[in-house]
């Protein structure tokens, strides 16, 4: 498939105009809809930002009308929390309660499946940045269930498996591409950072042949720069099992295969902030 020109055309059309509203409001847990537009443009020293989701306006959709918020029905499955000078989003899942079930599984997630700037296609070369805080997280101890919690995904449309995801696994955070059989810890031990913001960066060249790459970097509390943790080169990154025209991002909390009967932690809460999509071919 020929390299897509969609991103460069779009960047030219929106350069200098896309900004998420930087409002400061009281804490809220409602999805509001207004004329706010997605994204912001980076300065000339780095890649162009196609999309910025920073929750500054205190709403679940961060002022982006087409942003998907949780499909779980519990009032606190997703809500906005104070964070620094503005806000972040929280997702909560309690096992055994159908109000925290979405699409047949225990999860609560936000997604860019209906946001144009949050989709990826073959030929795109993009960077995904996001911040994660594990709220009151119970660490793994010997004898506990070893099931993992997915906190960020690059997902193929149409109900396909993800191209990649990041997950808590025991007391580490791992990057995984399940179809390719790739998995590596990118945070060896998150326990010193429970309740603090951890920052992640995933660079992807989206290809339907074996010329793509994944590059995963982290910036932990107290660090000023990102550190490259893992690189996979010469891999097929756009690989839906069923036909799909695009992929998109999901963040929140997905607890596959977990249950109270298996001894999994009953309730987990995770916070996300500063989700950005950047075009690595621009700037």
């Amino acid at each position: 498939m020929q390299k897509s020109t969609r991103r460069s055309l779009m960047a030219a059309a929106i350069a200098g105009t896309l900004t998420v509203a930087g409002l400061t409001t009281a804490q809220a847990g409602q999805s509001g809809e207004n004329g706010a537009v997605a994204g912001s443009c980076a300065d000339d020293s780095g890649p162009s930002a196609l999309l910025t989701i920073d929750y500054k306006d205190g709403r679940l959709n961060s002022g982006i009308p087409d942003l998907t918020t949780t499909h779980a029905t519990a009032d606190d499955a997703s809500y906005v929390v104070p964070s620094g000078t503005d806000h972040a989003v929280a997702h909560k899942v309690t096992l055994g309660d159908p109000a925290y079930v979405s699409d047949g599984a225990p999860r609560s997630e936000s997604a860019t499946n209906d946001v144009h700037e949050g989709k990826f296609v073959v030929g795109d070369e993009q960077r995904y940045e996001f911040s994660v805080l594990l709220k009151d997280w119970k660490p793994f101890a010997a004898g506990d269930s070893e099931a993992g919690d997915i906190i960020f995904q690059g997902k193929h449309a149409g109900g396909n498996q993800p191209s990649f995801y990041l997950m808590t696994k025991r007391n580490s955070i791992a990057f995984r591409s399940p179809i390719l059989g790739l998995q590596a810890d990118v945070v060896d031990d998150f326990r010193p950072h429970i309740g603090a913001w951890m920052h992640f960066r995933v660079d992807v060249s989206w290809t339907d042949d074996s010329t793509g790459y994944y590059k995963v970097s982290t910036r932990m509390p107290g660090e000023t720069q990102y550190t490259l943790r893992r690189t996979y080169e010469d891999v097929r990154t756009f690989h839906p099992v069923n036909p799909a025209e695009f992929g998109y991002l999901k963040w929140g909390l997905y607890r596959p295969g977990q249950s109270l009967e298996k001894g999994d932690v009953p309730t987990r809460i995770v916070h996300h902030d500063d989700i950005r999509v950047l075009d690595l071919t621009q700037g």
Side-chain angles (χ1 to χ4, degrees), residues 42 197 215 240:
W197 286 104
K215 299 177 182 179

Side-chain angles (χ1 to χ4, degrees), residues 153 157 202 222 283:
Q153 301 185 57
V202 182

Side-chain angles (χ1 to χ4, degrees), residues 95-96 106 140 143-148 255-266:
L95 299 175
F140 173 82
D144 288 350
S145 169
E146 297 188 8
R255 309 185 65 185
Q258 298 189 40
S259 69
L260 297 176
E261 292 73 20
K262 294 178 181 178
D264 292 297
V265 175

Side-chain angles (χ1 to χ4, degrees), residues 156 160-163 176-182 239-241:
H156 298 299
N160 281 283
Q161 295 185 47
S163 169
R176 190 179 183 203
S177 180
I179 295 177
L180 297 181
L182 307 176
H239 46 55
V241 175

Side-chain angles (χ1 to χ4, degrees), residues 86 169 191 197 233:
D86 51 84
K169 185 69 173 178
R191 287 176 293 179
W197 286 104
E233 295 182 317

